[in-house]
Amino acid sequence: MTDGDTPGLLASGALTPGALAPGAGLACPAPADARRGLGEDAVVLLGHGAGGRLSEELLRGVLLPAMADGGEPATAAPILEDAAVLPGGPAELVFSTDAFVVDPLFFPGGDIGSLAVHGTVNDVAMMGAEPFALALALIVEEGLPIPVLDRVARSVGRAARAAGVRVVTGDTKVVGRGSADGLYLTTTGLGRRLPGIRPSAAAARPGDEVLISGPIGLHGTTVLSTREGLGFEADIASDSRPLHTLVKALAEAVPDAVRTLRDPTRGGVAASLNEIARDSSAAAGRPVGIELDESALPVPAPVAAACEILGLDVLHVANEGCLLAFVRPDRAADALAALRSAPGGAGAGAARIGRVTDAGRVVLHTLLGSRRTVEMPTGEQLPRIC
C-alpha cells in the first residue's frame, strides 16, 4: 500500500464520489446480530456464509451435530479440512463439494463457471491430491437468457479441460421466477493423493515457515467493484485459477516438508490462518500460533487502494488463485523455489510471509513496527463473491 495509489485512481476518474465513504454500498450485518446465537428464534444471516466465526458456529452448532454418527454431537471438535480422504480404495481418493453463488455472474478474470471448476479443483488439491473428475449441478431461474447459460457452460468446459479434469456427471433444475437469483452452480470433485504429501490443517508446528503463492485480495475486490460499479475493475482482475500444479510441484520437490496447504477463499487469509492455528493447537495439545510480516504480504497497489478507501481489511478479502503452504523451516527455501518455478506461472509471485509460533494466536507485525492480533472475521464484508 502506498500513499500515491489512491490519488492515482481518483485522477483517472476510476472512482465516483459515492464510492469514497468507507463501506459505501455494502450491507454488513452488525456484530450484535451474532449475539442472537442459534436458538429457537434465530435466523440465518449473510454472515453465516462468510467463512468466518459465524460460519463456524453454524457448522459446529447445527450442521455437524445433525450429521454425526447416531445423530449425537461429536465428543471432540472435528478438524475442518478443504476435502475428505476416502479410505478403502486401491489409492487414496480425495472428495470435495462446493456451491457457487457469485454476483455478478461475469467479472474481470473469470465467471461463475470457471470459478466453480477452480474452486473445487483447489479444494481437492489442498489435500495433496491431483483432481481427475467433477460433477456439476445447476439451479437455473426461469427467465435466464439461454446465451448466458451457454456462455457459463462453455466456461465450465474450458476450465475443466485446462485443469485436466473431466465433468463426468451432473444435474439441472429450473426454479420459478423470483425463487433464485439467476444461476447457482455446485461442483463435486474427486482426486488421487500424490505420493509422499499428506497436508492437513492440523499439522502446522512451531518453527514452520508460512509461504503464499501469489498476490492477495484480487478476487474479492474485483467482484465487489464490478457489482457496485466502483471502477476498480479497470485496474484489477480476479485471480481465479487452478492450483493443483503448484501442489504437484511441492509434492515433487519437498513432499515430506509440507505440513499444511489451504487456499484462502471466503474469510481471506485471516480466516484460513485462524482455522489452521485452532486445528493445529487441538492436534498438538499445545498452543500453535502464527506471526505475519506485513511488509512481506504481496498486496497489489490497486487492491490496497480499494481496501483503504472502502474500509476493508485485505486479510479478510477472498482469494481464488493463491495458496498458503506451511513447510518445515529447513526446506522453506526449496519449497519457495518450487512454487516460483511451477509450470504455468501461478506461483511466480510466491513469498515467505511469516512463521509458526507457540503463542496460540495470529499476530501481524505491521509496517509501523507495532503488533496487532488478526481475528477471525465475524460478519460478512463481501456477500456473494464465490
Side-chain angles (χ1 to χ4, degrees), residues 69 84 105 118 127 138 143 147 169 209 211 226 229 248 280 297 325:
D69 290 341
L105 299 178
H118 297 159
M127 293 299 289
L138 303 95
T169 188
E209 298 279 353
L211 313 181
T226 306
K248 192 171 183 178
S280 295
L297 292 175

Side-chain angles (χ1 to χ4, degrees), residues 327-339:
V327 297
R328 281 185 357 222
D330 59 317
R331 302 303 306 278
D334 294 330
L336 194 59
L339 289 173

Side-chain angles (χ1 to χ4, degrees), residues 7-373:
L9 283 173
L10 292 170
S12 71
L15 300 179
T16 60
L20 299 182
L26 304 180
C28 300
D33 288 338
R35 292 194 288 270
R36 288 194 286 175
L38 299 172
E40 291 294 326
D41 60 344
V43 298
V44 174
L45 307 172
L46 275 175
H48 283 121
R53 184 169 298 154
L54 292 183
S55 295
E56 182 179 336
E57 290 177 3
L58 189 67
L59 278 172
R60 297 187 186 276
V62 178
L63 300 178
L64 293 177
M67 294 175 230
D69 290 341
E72 298 298 327
T75 54
I79 295 169
L80 301 180
E81 307 277 12
D82 279 337
V85 178
L86 301 179
E92 283 189 299
L93 294 180
V94 173
F95 180 69
S96 183
T97 192
D98 206 345
F100 297 85
V101 295
V102 64
D103 174 29
L105 299 178
F106 305 95
F107 46 84
D111 56 70
I112 191 172
S114 58
L115 184 67
V117 173
H118 297 159
T120 297
V121 162
N122 293 345
D123 282 347
V124 170
M126 293 308 108
M127 293 299 289
E130 185 166 24
F132 64 88
L134 286 176
L136 171 69
L138 303 95
I139 296 178
V140 187
E141 184 182 16
E142 181 186 23
L144 183 78
I146 291 294
V148 171
L149 183 60
D150 179 66
R151 183 178 169 188
V152 170
R154 290 176 184 275
S155 179
V156 169
R158 279 194 303 272
R161 287 190 293 274
V165 299
R166 294 183 59 203
V167 180
V168 296
T169 188
D171 185 41
T172 302
K173 294 289 191 299
V174 178
V175 298
R177 293 177 188 269
S179 300
D181 191 9
L183 179 65
Y184 303 147
L185 301 186
T186 296
T187 43
T188 300
L190 274 174
R192 295 186 187 88
R193 272 245 169 120
L194 295 162
I197 186 170
R198 296 293 181 270
S200 168
R205 294 294 180 269
D208 290 348
E209 298 279 353
V210 183
L211 313 181
I212 195 161
S213 65
I216 63 174
L218 284 167
H219 179 72
T221 50
T222 298
V223 172
L224 174 65
S225 181
T226 306
R227 181 194 310 164
E228 305 294 341
L230 302 180
F232 293 112
E233 66 271 22
D235 303 296
I236 55 178
S238 170
D239 61 343
S240 177
R241 62 164 64 96
L243 298 169
H244 60 303
T245 54
L246 296 182
V247 176
K248 192 171 183 178
L250 290 173
E252 292 173 352
V254 290
D256 296 335
V258 178
R259 312 270 204 196
T260 299
L261 296 174
R262 179 62 64 92
D263 59 331
T265 53
R266 286 179 309 164
V269 170
S272 292
L273 294 183
N274 275 281
E275 290 167 356
I276 291 167
R278 176 200 63 205
D279 290 343
S280 295
S281 295
R286 60 193 177 102
V288 173
I290 299 163
E291 287 184 351
L292 291 179
D293 296 325
E294 187 174 19
S295 61
L297 292 175
V299 183
V303 170
C307 289
E308 185 173 1
I309 291 171
L310 298 172
L312 302 176
D313 184 342
V314 69
L315 293 174
H316 292 178
V317 177
N319 314 275
E320 291 291 342
C322 65
L323 64 80
L324 294 161
F326 289 62
V327 297
R328 281 185 357 222
D330 59 317
R331 302 303 306 278
D334 294 330
L336 194 59
L339 289 173
R340 288 174 174 171
S341 60
R352 193 182 321 211
I353 61 171
R355 64 206 61 82
V356 180
T357 71
D358 58 3
R361 59 197 178 111
V362 182
V363 173
L364 178 71
H365 292 264
T366 72
L367 294 171
L368 299 176
S370 61
R371 291 160 51 96
R372 73 170 173 91
T373 299

